């Protein structure tokens, strides 16, 4: 597969900046005023850092990262994205969403549009790029994720792994500063997982700031700067992959790892 090439301004993975790109402070969220899904969660992610968020089903991890681009609202706390405080103002939300790309469990591609048109739609309408520029960038991204030959096919003609790589290319086409991944391999057959993780590994090497909700232990060990465990709406423990997997401090972390390792 063609590897991502770091842009001149990219941050090497070993040179994570101390400049915060995401600051979440005491974030709280309720569903229907009775289910307390986030219970004062705080996390800072620095420029160029890769943070993997793990935890059992229902722990609040997907909800938490979806607050970073206002796909989920929150009732208390503060979230700052690249120096911009997230508010309920639509212009504020639009500004932040232009800088934050997201890849979901399901691919969410438009089935009636070709791969190329799926990728160029947002740059043309949101970034106001010309069709020619959008298509040029899209083709470059498709080459980078290893599926250039699929440009004129429709999503239904692709495998799940190929569709997820299109989804990654689509998110990257907006040239985001931050990429969020919400269990991007959970809907894939096992043989398709590796091709998506390979793209994510390559992207991490370019210095992209990434927050990934995943249970892929090998990916977390290899790529993450930090691994975080969430459970019951709380951030239970965080540390380097070495610390997290080999010497967990919290009983809840030990229990979780005993179930997945």
């Amino acid at each position: 597969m063609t590897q991502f090439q770091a842009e001149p301004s990219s941050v090497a993975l070993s040179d994570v900046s101390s400049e915060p790109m995401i600051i979440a402070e005491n974030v709280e969220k309720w569903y229907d005023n009775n289910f307390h899904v986030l219970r004062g969660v705080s996390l800072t992610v620095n420029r160029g850092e890769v943070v993997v968020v793990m935890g059992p089903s229902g722990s609040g991890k997907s909800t938490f990262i979806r607050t970073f681009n206002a796909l989920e609202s929150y009732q208390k706390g503060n979230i700052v994205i690249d120096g911009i405080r997230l508010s309920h103002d639509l212009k504020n939300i639009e500004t932040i969403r232009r800088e934050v790309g997201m890849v979901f469990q399901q691919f969410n591609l438009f089935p009636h549009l070709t791969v190329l048109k799926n990728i160029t739609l947002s740059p043309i309408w949101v970034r106001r790029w010309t069709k020619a520029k959008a298509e040029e960038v899209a083709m470059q991204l498709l080459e980078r994720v290893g599926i250039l030959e699929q440009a004129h096919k429709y999503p239904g003609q692709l495998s799940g792994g190929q569709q997820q790589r299109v989804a990654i290319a689509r998110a990257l086409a907006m040239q985001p500063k931050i990429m969020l991944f919400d269990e991007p391999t959970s809907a894939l057959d096992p043989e398709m997982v590796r091709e998506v993780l390979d793209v994510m590994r390559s992207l991490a090497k370019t210095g992209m700031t990434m927050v990934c909700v995943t249970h892929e232990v090998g990916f977390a060990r290899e790529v993450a700067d930090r691994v975080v465990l969430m459970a019951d709406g709380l951030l239970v423990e965080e540390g380097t992959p070495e610390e997290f997997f080999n010497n967990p401090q919290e009983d809840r972390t030990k229990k979780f790892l005993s179930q997945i390792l």
Side-chain angles (χ1 to χ4, degrees):
M1 179 184 298
T2 303
Q3 297 293 301
F4 282 89
Q5 299 299 313
E7 300 296 334
S9 60
S10 293
V11 183
L13 190 62
S14 59
D15 297 327
V16 173
S17 168
S18 59
E19 176 187 355
M21 288 294 283
I22 301 171
I23 302 173
E25 298 176 318
N26 301 314
V27 176
E28 303 209 23
K29 179 179 175 63
W30 288 262
Y31 283 127
D32 300 323
N33 296 319
N34 55 22
F35 178 46
H36 201 176
V37 61
L38 298 176
R39 302 170 179 265
V41 184
S42 298
L43 179 70
T44 297
V45 181
N46 292 321
R47 183 182 298 276
E49 191 173 22
V50 178
V51 175
V52 167
V53 183
M54 308 188 89
S57 177
S59 62
K61 54 191 185 297
S62 292
T63 299
F64 182 48
I65 72 162
R66 287 165 68 96
T67 63
F68 297 165
N69 58 359
L71 290 179
E72 292 278 359
S73 62
Y74 61 98
Q75 284 74 49
K76 290 185 178 180
N78 291 296
I79 295 177
V80 179
I81 305 295
D82 193 24
I84 304 172
R85 185 179 181 276
L86 181 61
S87 73
H88 295 294
D89 179 81
L90 290 178
K91 289 186 177 179
N92 174 278
I93 292 172
E94 289 172 359
T95 299
I96 286 174
R97 284 181 177 170
R98 282 197 294 269
E99 307 303 334
V100 181
M102 188 159 192
V103 178
F104 303 88
Q105 297 177 38
Q106 302 298 329
F107 321 123
N108 294 336
L109 301 175
F110 293 110
H112 63 291
L113 299 179
T114 65
V115 165
L116 185 62
K117 288 184 178 179
N118 264 282
I119 296 172
T120 59
L121 191 63
S122 289
I124 289 172
W125 286 97
V126 178
R127 293 290 191 190
R128 303 297 182 186
W129 288 0
T130 64
K131 180 181 177 182
K133 178 180 179 180
E135 288 186 348
E136 179 183 2
V137 171
M139 296 299 277
Q140 291 172 352
L141 288 169
L142 285 171
E143 183 175 12
R144 287 180 174 187
V145 301
I147 50 172
L148 179 61
E149 71 283 358
Q150 311 295 343
H152 301 291
K153 291 184 179 179
Y154 290 87
Q157 297 174 289
L158 307 183
S159 70
Q162 289 172 331
Q163 289 186 63
Q164 193 62 294
R165 283 188 275 167
V166 173
I168 294 173
R170 179 182 59 182
L172 292 173
M174 286 292 288
Q175 299 185 337
K177 296 179 180 178
I178 299 166
M179 283 288 290
L180 308 177
F181 294 86
D182 185 7
E183 301 197 47
T185 61
S186 65
L188 299 178
D189 293 333
E191 65 268 21
M192 298 178 185
V193 168
R194 180 175 178 177
E195 63 191 60
V196 174
L197 292 179
D198 283 346
V199 171
M200 293 171 64
R201 288 184 180 97
S202 297
L203 179 59
K205 291 177 182 177
T206 71
M208 174 67 74
T209 305
M210 297 168 58
V211 182
C212 311
V213 174
T214 182
H215 288 155
E216 298 292 341
V217 173
F219 174 82
R221 287 184 184 275
E222 178 185 347
V223 177
D225 295 292
R226 274 187 295 151
V227 183
V228 170
L229 179 77
M230 288 188 65
D232 302 317
L234 299 168
L235 196 157
V236 175
E237 184 166 352
E238 62 180 299
T240 66
E242 176 73 17
E243 295 166 343
F244 184 88
F245 291 110
N246 296 338
N247 189 29
Q249 300 300 303
E250 301 294 331
D251 289 341
R252 189 65 186 84
T253 309
K254 294 174 184 177
K255 179 180 177 181
F256 174 76
L257 291 176
S258 72
Q259 295 170 338
I260 67 169
L261 295 179

